[in-house]
Structure formats: structure tokens, C-alpha cells
Amino acid sequence: SEIVGVGCVLNGVRYKNGETFQPNCKYNCTCINGAVGCIPMCTNSRPPLVWCPNPKLIKMEGKCCEQWVCDDSRKIRKTSPRHISSAAYEGEDEAWQKNCIVHTSPWSPCSKTCGLGISTRISNDNDQCRLLKESRLCNMRPCEVDIIQHIKPGKKCLAVYRANEPTNYTISGCVSKSPYRPKYCGVCTDNRCCTPYKSKTIEVRFQCPDGTEFSWKIMWINACFCNLNCRNPNDIFADLAHYHDYSEIAN
């Protein structure tokens, strides 16, 4: 029997309350009382190995989810995200360099709630004024530390946690050349979650056992706040605006 309730309309198509559908291959959506909640299907994407100097997400023929490639050439491919006008690529490069409308999207939420994850954004703030996907590493909180033990007596939350001693970042056996003492977002004993509201991006230099070196952008948390608006990226009720490329299905 059909669930009684308000249906939904998305891109001119009407869906029944409770109906699950795929507006395109990237999202699986459900209509819930007039609101559409979607789960992204392209979440398992991992960038190429860390020593890849210029990782890019590109659209591949016959594949729905964008694929990571290691772009070793200096030649930048004309792969614009589908929901951003390709008009930016028409006309001569020179004209665009003189007249570049800079667009940088916000960083997407960290792909992991603890431990090392990836965050991405789209920006054309470069010499060629080309829209490229940028990535940075992020670590919201260490998985191995029980932050609840650090909450002060009588309090329900610890907004920011910081280890006493500086440590080195490690990726695939390669170690940062300097030690760091980052701030992490804390936890609460009630239903609130703690998320960053002030952060910047730092460049960290790594050295590998074979002597090679590379740099990687890392999110540096300055401040976090704890609130009830806990959105899990895989939550079916999550607001579509939570996904930085949600406009692909919203328009």
C-alpha cells in the first residue's frame, strides 16, 4: 500500500511519498513528505597515490562516477564539471586570462569523521582560469583517542581537542619533515556534533623512505563549534545543499 503524504517534484518529474528513484547515475534519492533526500553513489573515489603531483577527477567515457587520474603533463584537460557552464572555455585563452571571473567553491565536508580523509573543491583561480578540482587531506579527530575522557566534569561537550605533544603526519610510510600539533574537533555526550567553522589550508612537505619528497595540502582547523545540526553525508534526510555539487540535480 502506498504511503500517504505529500509527493515531490524534481526536474519536472513527480514522485510519490516514499518512492525511491535515481535522477541520474550519481544519486539515489527518496521522496519524504515533499522533500527529496539523496545519497551520493560516487563516494568511494580515492585520489591516486600520494606522490602523484597533480591529481584530477575527470569524466570517463561510459563511466558515471568521475575517475581520478594522475596528470603528469602540464597540459590541462578541458574537463569542466557538467553543472558549471562550459562557456568559460569558449573563446581564446588570452581573453580569459585578462577577464577571468574567479570562482572557488567551498571545501566539501571531510570524507571521514575520524582519521585521514579527503576534502575537495572546484576553483579556476589559476593562470589558465580553468575550473579544476583541488583536494586536501583532512583529519577531523584522531580515531584512536577517546576524547570523551577529556571533557571537563559537569560539561557535555569538548569543542576542540589538541594533543599535548606535536607529532608528524604520516601518509603511506612517508613522514612530514616537521612535527605539528593540530587542533581537532571534539565530541559531545549528548546529541550534538562538533564541526569546524574556521579552518585554513597548509602545505606540508613529506619525505619517503626512498628519499623522494612531495607536498600535500592539509586542512588546518582553527576553531570548531558543537550544534544539533548533525548531518551525516550518507543520511537520506540530509539537505541536498550539503553536497558541494548538488546543483547538478537541483537545476
Side-chain angles (χ1 to χ4, degrees), residues 79-86 88-89 96 99-108 120-134 243-248:
T79 47
S80 71
R82 273 178 296 170
H83 62 273
I84 292 173
S85 165
S86 58
Y89 295 109
W96 262 98
N99 185 22
C100 182
I101 300 160
V102 174
H103 166 83
T104 301
S105 74
W107 287 102
S108 68
T120 57
R121 72 177 180 186
I122 298 164
S123 177
N124 64 352
D125 194 356
N126 53 55
D127 293 344
Q128 295 87 8
C129 190
R130 298 242 194 254
L131 281 162
L132 301 174
K133 206 153 202 174
E134 300 174 355
Y243 306 110
H244 64 291
D245 55 356
Y246 74 98
S247 53
E248 186 172 326

Side-chain angles (χ1 to χ4, degrees), residues 45-188:
S45 179
R46 287 272 180 278
L49 296 168
V50 289
W51 50 85
C52 167
N54 206 6
K56 286 207 180 58
L57 264 179
I58 64 158
K59 187 90 186 82
M60 306 277 263
E61 196 72 37
K63 293 212 168 139
C64 166
C65 301
E66 292 166 311
Q67 308 285 310
W68 282 103
V69 295
C70 189
D71 183 9
D72 284 326
S73 67
R74 297 313 302 155
K75 201 169 73 214
I76 293 164
R77 299 186 50 145
K78 295 191 178 185
T79 47
S80 71
R82 273 178 296 170
H83 62 273
I84 292 173
S85 165
S86 58
Y89 295 109
E90 288 158 16
E92 291 303 308
D93 284 355
E94 290 75 28
W96 262 98
Q97 281 167 14
K98 288 192 210 87
N99 185 22
C100 182
I101 300 160
V102 174
H103 166 83
T104 301
S105 74
W107 287 102
S108 68
C110 194
S111 62
K112 299 251 184 87
T113 52
C114 78
L116 219 50
I118 287 268
S119 176
T120 57
R121 72 177 180 186
I122 298 164
S123 177
N124 64 352
D125 194 356
N126 53 55
D127 293 344
Q128 295 87 8
C129 190
R130 298 242 194 254
L131 281 162
L132 301 174
K133 206 153 202 174
E134 300 174 355
S135 347
R136 67 178 182 181
L137 295 168
C138 44
N139 192 341
M140 299 284 287
R141 56 186 62 78
C143 297
E144 66 282 355
V145 177
D146 181 11
I147 298 173
I148 287 177
Q149 293 182 355
H150 297 271
I151 297 175
K152 291 193 175 101
K155 299 274 184 196
K156 288 188 175 165
C157 290
L158 177 68
V160 173
Y161 166 76
R162 200 173 196 182
N164 292 329
E165 296 298 320
T167 52
N168 290 62
Y169 287 108
T170 305
I171 317 171
S172 306
C174 307
V175 181
S176 66
K177 294 186 84 171
S178 309
Y180 293 86
R181 191 169 161 249
K183 286 180 182 171
Y184 298 102
C185 288
V187 293
C188 298

Side-chain angles (χ1 to χ4, degrees), residues 197-217:
Y197 76 95
K198 272 190 193 162
S199 71
K200 62 181 182 180
T201 305
I202 63 165
E203 192 95 16
V204 174
R205 192 100 189 127
F206 289 85
Q207 185 151 26
C208 300
D210 63 0
T212 56
E213 289 188 9
F214 62 89
S215 289
W216 201 258
K217 289 190 173 77

